[in-house]
Amino acid sequence: MVLGNGDAALESTPELWKAAQEATRRRIGSGGEKSTHGRMHMGLAAATLQMGDEAYGRLAIMATMRSIYPSLICGHEPGPAIFNTDGNGSIPEILKRMLVASRPGRLDLLAPRHVRPAHDEPPAGQRHQTDRERQL
């Protein structure tokens, strides 16, 4: 799966957007991201696809599974045992994509559910408007 930040082809084709989200969820759920490299791919894909919880989850795993040395250099596998700088370039990019994505006339903000304000929850029986659906 190749995605750019705010990929216009995905946005103009809702079926493709949903399929890309499902493919990302399945890859995350299949255990296909045991290395830093795999986690960063899925974190970038999730952030691009406006999947805040999944993008945050990749960062949380990196922080809690001993995948980062005290020097802040990432390890290839949890441990750490082997240096792998994939995460060092990708972690800031995932955060940037989660914080803000913009294009002319549009600003998207993405946050995982646990950091949204309580008043941000929809009334009972109503669907939560996704960050992608909120436009200026």
Side-chain angles (χ1 to χ4, degrees):
M1 173 177 8
V2 178
L3 299 171
N5 199 7
D7 192 315
L10 284 174
E11 293 205 6
S12 64
T13 312
E15 303 82 27
L16 185 57
W17 184 274
K18 288 177 184 176
Q21 287 180 322
E22 182 61 24
T24 300
R25 278 191 198 92
R26 286 183 184 198
R27 172 129 182 239
I28 290 170
S30 73
E33 55 160 28
K34 294 180 181 176
S35 68
T36 295
H37 182 82
R39 288 188 188 116
M40 296 301 95
H41 272 281
M42 291 300 93
L44 289 166
T48 299
L49 292 166
Q50 300 290 306
M51 300 166 66
D53 292 331
E54 290 84 352
Y56 176 81
R58 305 316 92 209
L59 298 176
I61 288 172
M62 289 295 295
T64 60
M65 296 292 291
R66 296 186 54 227
S67 295
I68 302 174
Y69 288 90
S71 65
L72 299 181
I73 294 292
C74 293
H76 186 270
E77 303 282 339
I82 302 169
F83 285 122
N84 181 320
T85 59
D86 291 343
N88 293 96
S90 299
I91 289 171
E93 179 63 17
I94 292 169
L95 290 169
K96 179 195 77 79
R97 290 184 190 188
M98 288 179 69
L99 292 173
V100 64
S102 64
R103 294 187 297 286
R106 183 170 169 169
L107 177 68
D108 293 325
L109 305 174
L110 178 64
R113 275 184 279 242
H114 75 280
V115 296
R116 292 181 182 154
H119 66 272
D120 194 35
E121 292 303 314
Q126 291 186 7
R127 180 178 72 79
H128 194 292
Q129 185 181 30
T130 67
D131 296 316
R132 183 172 174 262
E133 293 170 327
R134 295 177 189 161
Q135 296 183 6
L136 293 176

